[in-house]
Amino acid sequence: MSDPTPGYDPQNPQTRRYGQPPVPPAGAAPGQPPALPPTHDPRADFPEPQRTVSPADPRLTVEAGRFWAGAAATALVAALIGLIGVIVFERIFTIELVPPPDLFATGSQQAAWAIDGAILAILAAGLLHLLILSTPRPRAFFGWIMALVIVVIAVLPFAWTDDMTAAALSGLINLLIGIAVWSLLAGVAGRTIVRRPAV
């Protein structure tokens, strides 16, 4: 006898009467529970990201010829700053200065300042070249080192004399030499650094 309820579906729990067992689907063995619908795996919605192998980190190197040509030009500029500073303050304004160490015993303040400025530029260039080849952020390290060196050479004349005017002007010359070396070598490095993939 058919159920008089309109829209009755034995498999639908919303239309099945209370207490009435579900009717197994056609073809199912007697006593076998109805097959459950396939469940959805939520992990399928979030697939594992693909792991890609990153290329080798680039290594920095220097175009040695152009770099050291720029270093030589920087040494010339540093020497000229020291030479002009002595001429202006001592020869024109007759202000006594505190000379830097005369490394080659020239007996001349002008020569001592020019030679020491050139030596500072060459040493700074060698340090920068070494930092480029060995450190991850060479220009940052070079900037910090040069800043500290400039502070030292700028205040060093105050430890050698009690004349504040002479110490201040000598420190000013040293300061100009240090800033010129720093800025010029930083520009040279920016033009001559080459990035090459690691082997």
Side-chain angles (χ1 to χ4, degrees):
M1 183 176 182
S2 62
D3 195 318
T5 304
Y8 171 72
D9 184 1
Q11 298 297 331
N12 191 345
Q14 296 181 355
T15 60
R16 191 172 63 245
R17 291 183 177 180
Y18 177 76
Q20 183 177 4
V23 178
Q32 182 180 2
L36 298 176
T39 59
H40 176 69
D41 187 1
R43 292 178 295 180
D45 296 333
F46 303 96
E48 184 177 357
Q50 298 292 331
R51 296 182 179 180
T52 58
V53 179
S54 60
D57 294 334
R59 295 293 184 265
L60 299 182
T61 186
V62 178
E63 297 178 9
R66 296 179 61 207
F67 177 85
W68 283 104
T74 302
L76 178 61
V77 171
L80 290 176
I81 291 175
L83 182 64
I84 293 173
V86 175
I87 293 175
V88 169
F89 291 122
E90 284 200 340
R91 305 301 180 187
I92 297 178
F93 295 101
T94 63
I95 299 175
E96 188 70 22
L97 296 176
V98 181
D102 192 356
L103 301 178
F104 292 93
T106 60
S108 170
Q109 291 192 19
Q110 297 178 9
W113 238 301
I115 292 173
D116 288 359
I119 291 175
L120 174 64
I122 296 300
L123 292 178
L127 174 64
L128 179 57
H129 195 169
L130 179 63
L131 291 174
I132 292 171
L133 299 179
S134 60
T135 59
R137 298 183 61 192
R139 280 182 284 187
F141 287 109
F142 180 72
W144 273 98
I145 294 173
M146 284 302 300
L148 295 175
V149 169
I150 290 173
V151 170
V152 171
I153 63 176
V155 302
L156 199 57
F158 291 92
W160 293 343
T161 182
D162 294 332
D163 188 347
M164 292 294 102
T165 301
L169 294 178
S170 301
L172 177 62
I173 296 175
N174 293 340
L175 178 66
L176 294 177
I177 292 174
I179 293 176
V181 170
W182 182 4
S183 61
L184 290 175
L185 287 181
V188 169
R191 295 289 185 176
T192 57
I193 289 179
V194 179
R195 296 180 179 271
R196 293 181 180 176
V199 180

